Amino acid sequence: ETGVTQTPRHLVMGMTNKKSLKCEQHLGHNAMYWYKQSAKKPLELMFVYSLEERVENNSVPSRFSPECPNSSHLFLHLHTLQPEDSALYLCASSQDAHRGAYEQYFGPGTRLTVT
Amino acid sequence: TQLLEQSPQFLSIQEGENLTVYCNSSSVFSSLQWYRQEPGEGPVLLVTVVTGGEVKKLKRLTFQFGDARKDSSLHITAAQPGDTGLYLCAGDPSNTGKLIFGQGTTLQVKP
């Protein structure tokens, strides 16, 4: 495996379900990110982890709960979501969380539909 | 308030035509990045521009960073169907490592 992988690629869940999104990076990077991409809106940064420590929570509702057990893996735990949370959730990694000029490598995303 | 404004939002052209996409801001950026995202995939970095007035070329793609480092443009010469995708500009206005993105330009190149 190379690059950044995400599973599942597609997810349909009801508002009362609990599910998790998984991201894995094989690039030896120190920083990992969750983004939300909705139709007609810019990519929104949700969370930033640097060396497994959360360094940014961009005012994300508590129904989204991130977890970073090590520098290669990142999870996004979902519970009691709303239909407006339906979007493409993208994971990314970069060499350093504190330098915006570093390239971010994105995974293919999880297309989430909340019914 | 959208910090990075891209224009146009949508562009549909014939193969062989030229086009320019713009990314504008009232803020100064130490660098700006351009990404391309194809359907079903995540964005992929095309280029990072770091010096005011800088011009970078990537085959048929030419990227320019404004002298005041508040804007950037992407020019594609002789567009091909393989250029179809969503083009995103991104920058870190506070130099804290947190990228903000423009809303994107969707390009469709018809054969």
Side-chain angles (χ1 to χ4, degrees):
Chain A
E1 292 266 26
T2 57
V4 181
T5 57
Q6 289 187 245
T7 55
R9 294 292 306 273
H10 298 87
L11 178 62
V12 179
M13 60 186 288
M15 289 191 283
T16 58
N17 290 160
K18 288 184 180 182
K19 296 286 184 183
S20 295
L21 310 184
K22 179 183 175 182
C23 174
E24 185 173 358
Q25 60 99 357
H26 309 268
L27 300 168
H29 288 163
N30 293 323
M32 296 188 77
Y33 310 78
W34 280 117
Y35 287 89
K36 176 183 179 182
Q37 188 173 34
S38 306
K40 300 182 181 179
K41 290 179 71 175
L43 267 168
E44 300 172 64
L45 179 65
M46 300 175 71
F47 300 103
V48 181
Y49 276 82
S50 175
L51 295 171
E52 302 138 51
E53 280 194 38
R54 191 191 310 179
V55 296
E56 179 73 18
N57 176 348
N58 213 21
S59 303
V60 179
S62 59
R63 56 186 184 269
F64 295 92
S65 174
E67 178 191 0
C68 188
N70 55 62
S71 59
S72 298
H73 293 86
L74 186 64
F75 295 89
L76 188 62
H77 304 298
L78 316 170
H79 63 98
T80 58
L81 294 192
Q82 305 297 312
E84 59 264 28
D85 296 322
S86 298
L88 181 68
Y89 288 86
L90 289 161
C91 172
S93 71
S94 73
Q95 192 173 341
D96 184 333
H98 304 292
R99 292 281 305 276
Y102 280 121
E103 175 178 4
Q104 293 196 10
Y105 290 77
F106 286 83
T110 295
R111 173 67 62 186
L112 174 67
T113 303
V114 181
T115 60
Chain B
T1 304
Q2 179 59 35
L3 217 53
L4 281 171
E5 294 277 354
Q6 285 188 241
S7 62
Q9 289 191 36
F10 301 97
L11 197 52
S12 182
I13 61 173
Q14 293 295 133
E15 182 176 2
E17 293 184 11
N18 302 332
L19 67 116
T20 302
V21 175
Y22 299 93
C23 176
N24 295 301
S25 176
S26 57
S27 301
V28 175
F29 288 81
S30 57
S31 64
L32 280 178
Q33 298 177 339
W34 284 92
Y35 289 80
R36 181 171 69 207
Q37 183 177 17
E38 298 186 18
E41 300 297 329
V44 175
L45 182 72
L46 297 173
V47 77
T48 301
V49 286
V50 297
T51 306
E54 180 178 8
V55 176
K56 280 191 173 178
K57 292 194 174 185
L58 188 67
K59 296 183 181 178
R60 293 176 293 100
L61 277 60
T62 302
F63 303 86
Q64 188 162 5
F65 200 11
D67 291 340
R69 291 185 288 121
K70 292 183 179 181
D71 57 88
S72 181
S73 64
L74 157 60
H75 182 81
I76 301 179
T77 303
Q80 298 178 1
D83 296 326
T84 293
L86 177 67
Y87 288 81
L88 298 160
C89 66
D92 176 11
S94 52
N95 286 318
T96 56
K98 293 185 284 290
L99 281 181
I100 61 162
F101 284 79
Q103 73 272 47
T105 295
T106 299
L107 171 65
Q108 181 187 43
V109 182
K110 301 175 191 175

